[in-house]
Every structure is written in structure tokens, then in C-alpha cells.
Amino acid sequence: MSDKVRKSDDEWRQQLTPEQYAVCREEATERAFTGKYWDHHESGTYRCVACGAALFSSDAKFDSGTGWPSFAAPATAETVETKEDRKLFVRRTEVHCARCGSHLGHVFDDGPRPTGLRYCINSASLDFEKKG
Ligand SMILES: [Zn+2]
């Protein structure tokens, strides 16, 4: 993708709310069942709150019971990037927006068929756009 978005920390800080900044730029995780999208069931597109890239479709969203918005697949394979996270004792795979590098959440391999993946995403990193 050639339209990468790069901004300084100050620019991100001005654009994002403190909660969005903590999640997207400092890789924080919002508390379960507190975000605005974990129990959200409308049809549409979940975009990156930082750059507007279309990240996930509501078609791939499923109720994981974790308290975070969960998706079986990204909108397209190019829309997100993953990176191994070794900060904790358990190895996890981080999910980032491919366009602006914002931290979105993590992906686990215990999702529903056919992908078997569970993209566990912070509501704070998403901006929902209703279909139609
Ligand atoms: Zn982005």
C-alpha cells in the first residue's frame, strides 16, 4: 500500500482522544466490556479511528464472549499487519493498521471456522460506519 499515513506523536495526540491515543499509539488494551463495539450488531464497516482505513466488516464479527469486538477475518488481507508480541510470558500476535501503524489488538487462533482466527480488537481503535 502506497498511501501510508505517518504522523508525529504530537500530531496523533492532537487528533485522538486520550483513550484512543493510549490504545492506538501506546498499545494499551481497553478493559473488557467497556468499549462501545463489543456488543454492537449493526451492519457496516469498522474503520481505523486514526486514519479511516476500512479494517473489518460486520460480516466477520462474531460474539466471542470476551468483551472486545471480535472478528474472524480482516476486511482484506492487506488491511492489517501482524507482529509478534513478546512483552508478556505468553506469546501473542499484535494486529496493526497497515496504513498508519496504529495498534488495534491481537489475533488468536481459537476463532470460528473457516478461518479459525479471532481478531480481538479494541473498540477505541475503531470507528463504525453504518451500511447504506
Ligand atoms: Zn489506521
Side-chain angles (χ1 to χ4, degrees):
M1 227 184 279
S2 57
D3 62 338
K4 297 253 189 215
V5 174
R6 291 187 200 284
K7 295 186 182 185
S8 70
D9 283 349
D10 277 353
E11 287 174 301
W12 285 124
R13 233 181 259 276
Q14 280 171 22
Q15 180 190 330
L16 302 171
T17 68
E19 190 196 14
Q20 290 166 350
Y21 184 87
V23 169
C24 294
R25 311 310 306 182
E26 299 181 320
E27 307 189 345
T29 298
E30 70 195 12
R31 282 171 49 222
F33 303 104
T34 63
K36 56 181 171 177
Y37 295 134
W38 70 270
D39 194 22
H40 185 258
H41 298 287
E42 287 185 277
S43 292
T45 303
Y46 293 86
R47 293 183 176 277
C48 175
V49 78
C51 77
L55 299 175
F56 298 97
S57 162
S58 58
D59 295 341
K61 195 172 188 293
F62 67 97
D63 188 0
S64 65
T66 58
W68 289 282
S70 300
F71 303 88
T76 70
E78 295 81 37
T79 201
V80 297
E81 288 174 345
T82 57
K83 165 178 117 183
E84 208 164 272
D85 170 2
R86 294 172 182 273
K87 273 180 293 209
L88 299 179
F89 295 106
V90 190
R91 275 198 315 194
R92 301 186 299 176
T93 305
E94 284 182 16
V95 183
H96 292 257
C97 171
R99 190 164 174 222
C100 73
S102 286
H103 171 83
L104 306 171
H106 292 86
V107 60
F108 302 92
D109 60 5
D110 58 3
R113 283 138 96 57
T115 63
L117 296 175
R118 172 170 61 91
Y119 286 82
C120 186
I121 305 300
N122 291 285
S123 299
S125 68
L126 298 173
D127 191 18
F128 181 72
E129 181 182 69
K130 200 171 175 175
K131 198 182 269 178

